[in-house]
Amino acid sequence: MTTILDPTPAARSAVTETEATPTTVEFWFDPSCPWAWMTSRWVDEVARFRSLDVTWNVMSLAVLNENNDVSEEYRAFFPRALRYTRLVAAVAELHGQQFVKPLYDELGARIHPGGATDPLQVITEALKALGLPAELAQTSLTDAHDAGMRKSHFEGINRVGQDVGTPVLAVNGVAFFGPVISPAPKGEQALALWDGVVAAASYEGFFEIKRTRTVDPIFD
């Protein structure tokens, strides 16, 4: 069991002080990426204590790597990933942006902590949970909504460059890749990481900080 540390009184009071001016956040995700899922859970945790106005947008690892030299094992993952990104794009176009985050939550919970690998099962269950038409599952098999999906993808990736991945995060207009974290921090740790990442990214000359990943995604 993970112990959640609530922020200090000072941190909680900061929420009240800033509620009138929420921080504008844009988040680009590929539903299949476990690292994007971890980062999204962190943003959700920060939003419990800070006033954030988050817009959730789809991007695609398949599109990102369509002209890249990647391993056959990694490329074999793209058709399944593409089904999820196409579904999100279709739902956004046909039913509205307000369904993007709930759909991501339903898909991601099944794909990542749930460990589901059958895209039809994942998609069918996610649509049912949201009360969306079951026939939307067919949109994941066609390119009918690829224009919207690719537009969303490039709106994010063009702000950070082609040599990154998912997620892409923008805070008050400053965009960056990541952070790549595992597990997603809670409470004061989540807020401390948020403040540090936002502070670093806000410096115009800051580009990269990195170390080797020593753990896999830890879903809690």
Side-chain angles (χ1 to χ4, degrees):
M1 178 180 294
T2 301
T3 300
I4 300 177
L5 300 176
D6 282 336
T8 62
R12 287 196 296 270
S13 67
V15 177
T16 302
E17 293 171 4
T18 59
E19 278 179 349
T21 55
T23 300
T24 300
V25 180
E26 299 163 273
F27 194 110
W28 282 267
F29 64 90
D30 183 313
S32 294
C33 178
W35 300 104
W37 177 254
M38 303 296 292
T39 308
S40 72
R41 301 310 94 181
W42 166 62
V43 171
D44 279 351
E45 177 70 4
V46 173
R48 292 178 58 207
F49 306 107
R50 298 283 177 84
S51 182
L52 305 183
D53 180 11
V54 188
T55 302
W56 299 86
N57 310 286
V58 71
M59 64 179 291
S60 170
L61 288 170
V63 172
L64 182 66
N65 290 282
E66 59 189 356
N67 297 316
N68 293 342
D69 183 15
V70 299
S71 70
E72 288 303 314
E73 180 181 7
Y74 188 37
R75 192 167 296 280
F77 150 84
F78 294 153
R80 182 173 63 191
L82 193 58
R83 291 191 64 176
Y84 298 131
T85 57
R86 282 174 164 170
L87 176 71
V88 174
V91 168
E93 185 173 331
L94 298 174
H95 293 271
Q97 175 68 29
Q98 70 272 18
F99 280 99
V100 170
K101 176 57 161 54
L103 180 58
Y104 180 31
D105 289 342
E106 294 293 341
L107 294 171
R110 290 166 172 79
I111 296 167
H112 303 300
T117 58
D118 179 359
L120 179 58
Q121 175 191 348
V122 169
I123 289 170
T124 300
E125 291 180 357
L127 292 174
K128 183 178 180 179
L130 296 177
L132 289 168
E135 56 266 28
L136 281 168
Q138 294 303 309
T139 64
S140 72
L141 297 170
T142 77
D143 62 0
H145 299 276
D146 277 16
M149 181 264 288
R150 295 176 75 91
K151 181 176 183 289
S152 177
H153 170 88
F154 285 111
E155 283 176 350
I157 206 69
N158 286 343
R159 296 168 66 175
V160 292
Q162 295 291 323
D163 58 340
V164 297
T166 176
V168 170
L169 195 61
V171 180
N172 286 333
V174 178
F176 50 90
F177 161 62
V180 176
I181 52 177
S182 181
K186 303 290 193 298
E188 290 187 38
Q189 287 185 326
L191 296 180
L193 178 61
W194 177 264
D195 291 338
V197 168
V198 171
S202 66
Y203 174 61
E204 187 176 358
F206 178 82
F207 298 107
E208 185 173 350
I209 184 170
K210 188 174 183 179
R211 63 178 176 178
T212 300
R213 301 176 195 177
T214 58
V215 298
D216 291 328
I218 300 171
F219 306 119
D220 59 354

